[in-house]
Amino acid sequence: MNLLVIVLSSQLLYYLLIAQTGIVGAFDSHIHDLYTLPIGGVIGALIGALWRHHSLKQELYFLFGVQMMISWFYPNYSLGMLMALGFVVGYTTPLLLYIFSSQGKLQLSLGLAISYAVGTALYTYPFAERDYIAIILPLISVAALRFARMQKIEPVQHLHFPRKAVGVMMVWIFADSALFETLSRSESMDIWSNYTLLIITSHFAGVYAAYRFGGELIKHTPIILGLFALSYALYWMSEPILLAVVYPIVISYYNVLLFYTLIRMRDIRTISLSMIGVGWVAASAANAVALAHQLWIAAIILTIFALIYPFYVRRIL
């Protein structure tokens, strides 16, 4: 296995278990204690887009080191430390996706499958007790990067920023994050505690389907939209077992295609600017919807997108 797969999966796990759910859970979802995290992420992505990168491997070593130092204080973070953590995450992600552009869909699928399986297994681990996880994951990233083979990447000259394609990615991230954050705060629909093995199996099915049958993210909009609509319906119908099957499949399916779209950009600046919208703006808006218990807003946005998609896709393709 290419060790870059381990680097990718360990960092995805860090984002899921620490930056996304661990910190939010440890701070009891209080926005006034967390708002500097996405601000730091946007700043990190912007600087990453503008900076001239001469030695990506050395930069990643440094960033993983900073990540470990910040993780040492988990979860006792001030607003300033949260901004620093957001900066590191925002700066690191585009670099990691760029170096992974030398890999194919198989390696990407393996990385996502590992992160989903381990992340699901550890999801119920208490938020305040994830300090060891926060330190171990960057250590794994450093060790794997040390022995990973870095291949030369041929840059792609983009004539324009793919804003319409990024817009579609933002819709999926928003719909996913809004439902995910809502489910994570629901006692009656706590699927991760009760159906762990079923969810892991469903994730594997979604990853395999995306690897075997998936292509361009935009062209698979009807499938992804249908699966999201079914996931939302199952949530409102209070069908946890069916939701534990359908929802992980759509998460894995669209994420494989989304990440594959990003790594194929082969341009740090384009990836960084895309991640501002996809990784920070859309996810933060979804968190606000979930915290306000207004999931219907996400459903309306999905409905509007379904109506305009036939006209929208013509201009993209």
Side-chain angles (χ1 to χ4, degrees):
M1 180 187 295
N2 191 316
L3 288 175
L4 284 179
V5 173
I6 303 300
V7 179
L8 177 68
S9 59
S10 62
Q11 283 299 296
L12 289 177
L13 280 168
Y14 187 90
Y15 305 151
L16 172 63
L17 296 174
I18 306 302
Q20 182 180 359
T21 61
I23 293 174
V24 174
F27 281 82
D28 295 321
S29 304
H30 295 155
I31 295 179
H32 60 274
D33 292 327
L34 299 164
Y35 70 92
T36 56
L37 181 67
I39 293 175
V42 172
I43 295 174
L46 279 174
I47 294 180
L50 300 174
W51 194 262
R52 292 186 177 182
H53 306 278
H54 298 291
S55 179
L56 294 178
K57 202 168 187 178
Q58 295 303 319
E59 281 189 69
L60 288 173
Y61 279 140
F62 175 77
L63 291 164
F64 294 155
V66 174
Q67 197 178 81
M68 277 188 283
M69 288 188 290
I70 296 176
S71 297
W72 188 263
F73 299 95
Y74 177 92
N76 302 308
Y77 291 146
S78 64
L79 289 174
M81 293 184 71
L82 284 175
M83 179 174 285
L85 179 60
F87 179 90
V88 171
V89 171
Y91 191 102
T92 303
T93 305
L95 269 61
L96 186 59
L97 293 177
Y98 175 74
I99 66 170
F100 208 81
S101 62
S102 62
Q103 308 302 308
K105 187 186 288 187
L106 175 60
Q107 289 75 23
L108 176 64
S109 299
L110 285 174
L112 287 171
I114 293 171
S115 62
Y116 284 133
V118 177
T120 301
L122 296 177
Y123 181 78
T124 56
Y125 202 80
F127 300 125
E129 299 176 14
R130 296 183 183 181
D131 46 348
Y132 291 108
I133 297 175
I135 295 174
I136 290 172
L137 289 175
L139 277 173
I140 293 174
S141 298
V142 171
L145 183 63
R146 170 64 180 81
F147 298 101
R149 296 179 60 183
M150 302 281 288
Q151 300 179 18
K152 184 178 179 180
I153 299 169
E154 296 296 333
V156 175
Q157 298 296 326
H158 295 278
L159 298 178
H160 57 83
F161 181 74
R163 60 184 183 276
K164 293 181 180 178
V166 171
V168 174
M169 297 183 201
M170 290 178 66
V171 171
W172 300 145
I173 291 293
F174 178 81
D176 180 12
S177 299
L179 183 56
F180 178 84
E181 297 297 338
T182 299
L183 285 172
S184 65
R185 293 166 177 80
S186 173
E187 294 182 2
S188 61
M189 295 292 287
D190 183 12
I191 60 177
W192 286 277
S193 297
N194 300 318
Y195 309 105
T196 302
L197 291 179
L198 179 59
I199 291 174
I200 291 175
T201 303
S202 298
H203 273 306
F204 285 158
V207 170
Y208 176 77
Y211 169 70
R212 181 67 178 81
F213 306 107
E216 294 291 336
L217 175 67
I218 306 299
K219 294 181 180 179
H220 286 255
T221 291
I223 297 174
I224 299 170
L225 186 60
L227 289 172
F228 266 124
L230 181 57
S231 297
Y232 273 67
L234 291 172
Y235 167 74
W236 275 309
M237 293 167 60
S238 297
E239 296 286 349
I241 297 180
L242 293 176
L243 184 62
V245 174
V246 177
Y247 184 43
I249 288 177
V250 66
I251 292 175
S252 303
Y253 189 86
Y254 93 83
N255 266 310
V256 170
L257 302 184
L258 184 148
F259 277 101
Y260 192 55
T261 300
L262 289 171
I263 66 175
R264 289 174 65 194
M265 292 178 180
R266 296 185 181 179
D267 179 72
I268 294 177
R269 183 178 182 183
T270 305
I271 296 173
S272 297
L273 295 177
S274 299
M275 288 304 299
I276 291 176
V278 175
W280 297 106
V281 175
S284 297
N287 286 340
V289 167
L291 292 175
H293 305 288
Q294 303 295 329
L295 188 62
W296 60 270
I297 296 176
I300 288 178
I301 289 177
L302 280 175
T303 302
I304 294 173
F305 178 69
L307 293 175
I308 67 173
Y309 169 73
F311 308 98
Y312 188 79
V313 72
R314 291 175 189 170
R315 297 186 178 183
I316 299 175
L317 302 179

